[in-house]
Amino acid sequence: MKPPPFDYHAPRDVAEALEVLAASGEGGKVLAGGQSLIPLLNMRLAAPSVLVDINRVAALDVLEVEPGGVRVGALARHAAVERSPAASRVQPLLRAALRLVAHPVIRNRGTVVGSLVHADPSAELPAVLAVLGGSVRLARHGGAVRDVPAAAFFTGPLESALEAGELAVSAFFPSLPPRTGAAFQEVARRHGDYAIAGAAAVVGLDEDLRVTAARVACVSAGPVPVTVDVTDACARRPAASVPWDAVADAVRGNVDPEEDVHASAHYRRHLTGVLAVRALRLAAAEAARAAHGAAGGMTGGVAGRPEGVE
Ligand SMILES: Cc1cc2nc3c(=O)[nH]c(=O)nc-3n(C[C@H](O)[C@H](O)[C@H](O)COP(=O)(O)OP(=O)(O)OC[C@H]3O[C@@H](n4cnc5c(N)ncnc54)[C@H](O)[C@@H]3O)c2cc1C
C-alpha cells in the first residue's frame, strides 16, 4: 500500500521545525529514521496531514557524553550510539540494549529518540530509559523546554507524554552510580525480532557487597515498560544469598503481559520472572566487579559486553 497524502516539510533548523509543527496542530508528525513511521504510513495505520522531516537539522545529530550521563540528540542513530566508546563507558547499558534492537541496517537509520517517542512496550530502549530513571526533553514553538522523566513519559502502548506541536530534542540516560551494575536479557524468536519478554536490570551494592538497590524494567510485560523495585525482596543480602525465587515472584506479581500469536500471557509472565532474575544476577556480578575496580576509576559496569570491546 501507499501512504495517504500529506504535506512534506524539511526544515533546516530547530526553530523552523518547531514553527512548522506548531502550525500543523494535531495533524503534524515528525519523521526521524522512519523505521517505524514509514511502515505505519504504508499500512495506513497513521495518516498525518503534515510530515516534518528533521533529517536536515544538523543541530539534532549530537551525542553529548559527560560523567553524569549520556544525552542523545534526536537525530543520533542507534548505530552511532552503539559504536560510541565514550557513551558505552559512561552508560554501558545503552550498547548492551542497542545490540538487541532489530538488525544493523535498521539501526543505521533508526534513532534512539524516535524509538522512545514511538513508545512500543516491546522495545528495548524505553525499558533502558525507565530502569535508569532517564528523561526526554521536549520543545515547542514559543514555549519552555520541558524534561519529562521516564516514569511519566510512557503513557500507554505507542503513547507518550509528547503533545501535538512538540519536538523531542533529546533523551538523557544517567550514568551508573559507584558499585552499580546493569544488564539486559531478552528472549526473541529470532535475533533482531521484538522480544517475547525481556528485562533491563540495575543493581547497587554497599561496601560489603550487599544489595542496596535493585530494580528491573520489563519488556512486553504491560502497556508501558513495567518498572519493579525489588530492593526489599533482595533483603540486603550479598547476591549469592539473595532469595531469587522470591524476587522472581515479586516481578511476576507486578507485570500484566498480553497474549498474542507468539506467547500466552502465562508463559510471558513466567519468562519475565526468569529473565528479570537472570538480568539482576548479572547486574549484581557487574556491580561487584565495578566495586573491585573502583580504585582504578571504574564505577559501574554492564553484563554482556564482549571481551576487548570498550
Ligand atoms: C524489521 C524491523 C524490526 C524492528 N525491530 C525492533 C526491535 O527489535 N526493537 C526495537 O526497539 N525497535 C525495533 N524496530 C523499530 C526501530 O528500532 C525504529 O528505529 C524505532 O522504533 C523508531 O525510530 P525512528 O527514528 O525510525 O522513528 P520514526 O519511524 O521516524 O518515528 C517513530 C515515531 O516517533 C515519532 N518521532 C520520532 N522522532 C521524533 C522526535 N524527535 N520528536 C517527536 N516525535 C518523534 C514519529 O512521529 C513517529 O510517531 C524495528 C523496525 C523494523 C522495520
Side-chain angles (χ1 to χ4, degrees):
M1 272 220 282
K2 290 202 169 83
F6 51 79
D7 287 342
Y8 174 81
H9 292 266
R12 294 275 176 179
D13 57 39
V14 173
E16 190 189 344
L18 296 182
E19 271 174 42
V20 181
L21 276 171
S24 313
E26 297 283 341
K29 251 206 180 304
V30 171
L31 173 69
Q35 298 305 299
S36 294
L37 184 55
I38 298 292
L40 287 175
L41 289 174
N42 287 343
M43 288 186 281
R44 300 205 166 199
L45 295 171
S49 53
V50 179
L51 265 197
V52 183
D53 180 345
I54 58 171
N55 283 277
R56 289 185 180 83
V57 185
L60 295 174
D61 192 2
V62 289
L63 183 59
E64 293 166 11
V65 183
E66 45 189 78
V70 180
R71 181 165 293 284
V72 182
L75 258 194
R77 316 283 173 186
H78 295 312
V81 181
E82 180 189 349
R83 291 184 196 137
S84 162
S88 181
R89 203 158 35 238
V90 167
Q91 187 35 267
L93 189 58
L94 263 176
R95 181 183 281 179
L98 278 164
R99 286 182 170 163
L100 300 169
V101 173
H103 309 282
V105 71
I106 289 160
R107 301 205 291 272
N108 281 341
R109 190 73 193 159
T111 64
V112 167
V113 170
S115 181
L116 298 173
V117 175
H118 188 57
D120 190 324
S122 306
E124 289 82 2
L125 292 174
V128 170
L129 194 81
V131 82
L132 295 175
S135 58
V136 181
R137 180 164 291 176
L138 305 176
R140 68 162 56 249
H141 178 64
V145 164
R146 62 186 183 120
D147 285 319
V148 183
F153 187 73
F154 303 107
T155 55
L158 308 188
E159 286 176 10
S160 77
L162 180 106
E163 293 172 0
E166 282 185 317
L167 173 71
V169 288
S170 64
F172 184 68
F173 296 86
S175 56
L176 299 173
R179 292 192 300 274
T180 300
F184 200 107
Q185 290 285 296
E186 73 174 36
V187 166
R189 287 181 66 237
R190 294 169 304 190
H191 178 74
D193 282 2
Y194 278 102
I196 292 173
V202 171
V203 172
L205 303 176
D206 66 13
E207 285 174 359
D208 299 320
L209 303 186
R210 287 182 304 233
V211 175
T212 54
R215 60 187 181 281
V216 288
C218 304
V219 171
S220 295
V224 294
V226 182
T227 307
V228 188
D229 190 318
V230 289
T231 310
D232 288 345
C234 291
R236 281 192 80 85
R237 296 200 197 161
S241 58
V242 164
W244 291 113
D245 286 348
V247 174
D249 287 345
V251 173
R252 289 188 186 112
N254 279 279
V255 299
D256 188 17
E258 287 197 350
E259 172 170 304
D260 63 16
V261 288
H262 303 303
S264 68
H266 175 78
Y267 174 64
R268 264 206 172 94
R269 180 178 286 105
H270 172 76
L271 189 57
T272 302
V274 171
L275 292 171
V277 165
R278 207 176 278 172
L280 284 160
R281 295 180 78 147
L282 287 167
E286 281 303 314
R289 264 195 284 277
H292 292 311
M298 186 176 175
T299 56
V302 72
R305 221 166 354 152
E307 293 285 327
V309 176
E310 247 186 302

